[in-house]
Amino acid sequence: MPSLAAEPQTAGLVLDYLHSLSDGNIDFEIEMMELFLLRVPQDIEALQLAFDEMAYTRISEISHKLKSSMAIFSRTDLEKSLSIFVEQSNKHQIDEDLLHTFALLKMELSEFYPLLQAALSQLKLRKINQTTDNQ
Amino acid sequence: MKCIIVDDNELALKATQQCVSKVEQLNLVQTFEDSLKALAWLSSNPVDLVFLDIEMPELNGIDFIKALKQPHPYIILTTSHTEHALEAYDYNVTDYLVKPIQFPRFLTAIAKVQELAEKQNIHHNDQDTIFIKKGNLIVRVNKKEILWIEGLGDYVTLNTEKEKFVVHSTMHAIEQKFSTHEFIRVHRSFIIRIDKINNIEDNCISYFDKFIPIG
């Protein structure tokens, strides 16, 4: 039987890992989604700054940190791009192609945030409904 | 089993925390996003197990392990980089989990830790408690509850008011785990609590309803 929290699945959004971890714990899923929506834009902003300043170590560190966040939300495509950032920045090889990949990553994320936000809203609504039903 | 999580990514930390919360034997006492703070905290707060991210700014996981006091707690590394695995094993880590952590794999790692703990049979936890194997379980026993310890060949019994634990160990090994301020070895087969001694008569100590020989 699928977990309660596993029911809402917005198209284009794969939350399988999160569901497998939550065991139907809606509060946990809400917390994780909120954290993603809060932290990832901050990290992307910091990564942009690091690219602007060609700060190789920071590019590597921030990209690496972001990889875990992407993995949790099953964005393995973005995780791969971030791995390339880590690899290339460690070699001090930041070129036009890499900057283009970063631009694409930001675009992908800008499309991902609203999907996640919608799923989060659904989840919050369902929590309210559950609370009401229980009363 | 007391554990902490060290990970600079809050989302990854919460994911590990969720795995920990599903395992009854694990008692999460603290989480850290800053590895330096974790290291400082550990110096005065011993734990049994550390879930440790490898790639962290300032102090990475490998340097963290190098800086730990020996013997260090069980370490389970968590990382996105599989290539660090070989190097990690040089530092006596118990297991290595690739992020995102899959819960069945997490359970395997915990089983490895428990297996190691069981092999040691009884291992030191902190100043006040010890873990003792009891059937298939490893239970935490407060040292204050232990009244006397008796050697029986290759085994020792740890006696509390309500229970008796039989442990595969030697009297010498067990003696090292108890403070000399509270316990005294009065005979090759007996260690007793100093504050529970009623009186001493000739070569015997009156201790509760027992007479314990002095060696």
Side-chain angles (χ1 to χ4, degrees):
Chain A
M1 195 178 133
S3 64
L4 278 176
E7 284 167 21
Q9 188 84 290
T10 309
L13 190 66
V14 180
L15 299 175
D16 291 353
Y17 176 70
L18 201 60
H19 296 327
S20 73
L21 210 57
S22 75
D23 278 345
N25 181 342
I26 292 181
D27 290 331
F28 170 72
E29 293 196 5
I30 288 174
E31 186 184 13
M32 293 295 274
M33 288 180 189
E34 284 178 339
L35 259 181
F36 186 97
L37 289 167
L38 178 72
R39 297 281 183 242
V40 173
Q42 290 171 352
D43 288 340
I44 291 294
E45 202 175 310
L47 187 55
Q48 176 69 69
L49 193 65
F51 269 116
D52 293 344
E53 294 172 0
M54 288 290 181
Y56 300 111
T57 308
R58 260 166 48 222
I59 293 171
S60 176
E61 283 175 0
I62 301 166
S63 299
H64 182 81
K65 187 178 169 188
L66 276 162
K67 277 175 64 182
S68 303
S69 306
M70 298 305 149
I72 288 168
F73 285 83
S74 306
R75 290 303 306 253
T76 45
D77 53 335
L78 304 184
E79 202 186 341
K80 279 178 193 162
S81 298
L82 289 160
S83 290
I84 295 169
F85 298 165
V86 173
E87 202 177 301
Q88 297 294 97
S89 60
N90 287 344
K91 292 181 194 165
H92 290 204
Q93 287 176 352
I94 307 292
D95 54 19
E96 283 301 315
D97 282 349
L98 205 72
L99 294 174
H100 181 63
T101 308
F102 180 50
L104 287 176
L105 180 136
K106 285 196 296 182
M107 199 174 73
E108 285 286 339
L109 279 173
S110 67
E111 290 169 6
F112 187 70
Y113 295 143
L115 293 177
L116 194 58
Q117 187 62 60
L120 176 61
S121 302
Q122 278 184 39
L123 211 53
K124 283 182 172 176
L125 193 63
R126 203 145 51 83
K127 193 188 167 192
I128 293 167
N129 289 338
Q130 273 186 359
T131 312
T132 314
D133 288 347
N134 289 339
Q135 288 168 354
Chain B
M1 192 170 279
K2 278 159 73 174
C3 64
I4 63 165
I5 304 170
V6 188
D7 198 317
D8 66 319
N9 182 318
E10 199 178 351
L11 273 160
L13 193 152
K14 294 276 179 196
T16 309
Q17 191 171 345
Q18 176 70 3
C19 290
V20 169
S21 71
K22 295 183 190 183
V23 181
E24 204 178 327
Q25 294 95 322
L26 297 178
N27 170 25
L28 183 66
V29 288
Q30 196 66 264
T31 63
F32 297 93
E33 288 177 50
D34 183 329
S35 52
L36 285 171
K37 282 184 183 164
L39 192 64
W41 186 88
L42 273 177
S43 65
S44 51
N45 298 279
V47 296
D48 306 301
L49 173 62
V50 178
F51 294 95
L52 181 65
D53 182 23
I54 293 189
E55 303 85 3
M56 288 180 288
E58 294 183 10
L59 184 70
N60 69 37
I62 300 296
D63 290 334
F64 183 97
I65 298 170
K66 286 179 189 169
L68 278 175
K69 278 186 206 161
Q70 296 292 337
H72 63 65
Y74 296 112
I75 306 274
I76 295 178
L77 290 173
T78 59
T79 184
S80 320
H81 278 313
T82 48
E83 60 265 33
H84 288 307
L86 278 179
E87 189 192 355
Y89 279 109
D90 287 342
Y91 296 97
N92 194 23
V93 303
T94 304
D95 207 351
Y96 183 91
L97 295 171
V98 178
K99 295 179 195 171
I101 298 167
Q102 305 297 322
F103 188 62
R105 181 65 187 80
F106 179 86
L107 287 179
T108 306
I110 299 304
K112 279 188 191 176
V113 172
Q114 286 178 322
E115 195 182 334
L116 278 175
E118 281 180 29
K119 275 183 186 165
Q120 290 173 4
N121 227 326
I122 176 167
H123 67 103
H124 199 200
N125 176 36
D126 55 32
Q127 298 299 313
D128 303 320
T129 61
I130 51 170
F131 280 107
I132 297 174
K133 193 180 175 215
K134 184 185 171 190
N136 292 327
L137 292 174
I138 294 177
V139 294
R140 184 197 297 274
V141 178
N142 193 322
K143 286 179 183 173
K144 289 195 187 312
E145 290 175 18
I146 293 168
L147 300 175
W148 79 91
I149 299 158
E150 189 170 353
L152 298 164
D154 291 337
Y155 293 84
V156 293
T157 62
L158 283 77
N159 302 272
T160 68
E161 201 172 338
K162 293 174 184 166
E163 281 187 281
K164 178 196 265 191
F165 300 95
V166 181
V167 175
H168 186 246
S169 182
T170 62
M171 284 297 277
H172 177 72
I174 210 89
E175 193 179 4
Q176 309 304 311
K177 297 179 189 297
F178 287 84
S179 155
T180 52
H181 298 295
E182 290 180 281
F183 289 86
I184 184 168
R185 188 169 179 179
V186 294
H187 184 271
R188 61 193 290 271
S189 300
F190 285 97
I191 296 169
I192 62 172
R193 291 193 71 88
I194 296 168
D195 62 345
K196 299 289 181 190
I197 296 173
N198 296 329
N199 56 62
I200 301 169
E201 189 181 337
D202 296 330
N203 288 332
C204 273
I205 293 173
S206 166
Y207 192 78
F208 289 98
D209 56 345
K210 288 171 75 77
F211 282 98
I212 291 177
I214 299 174

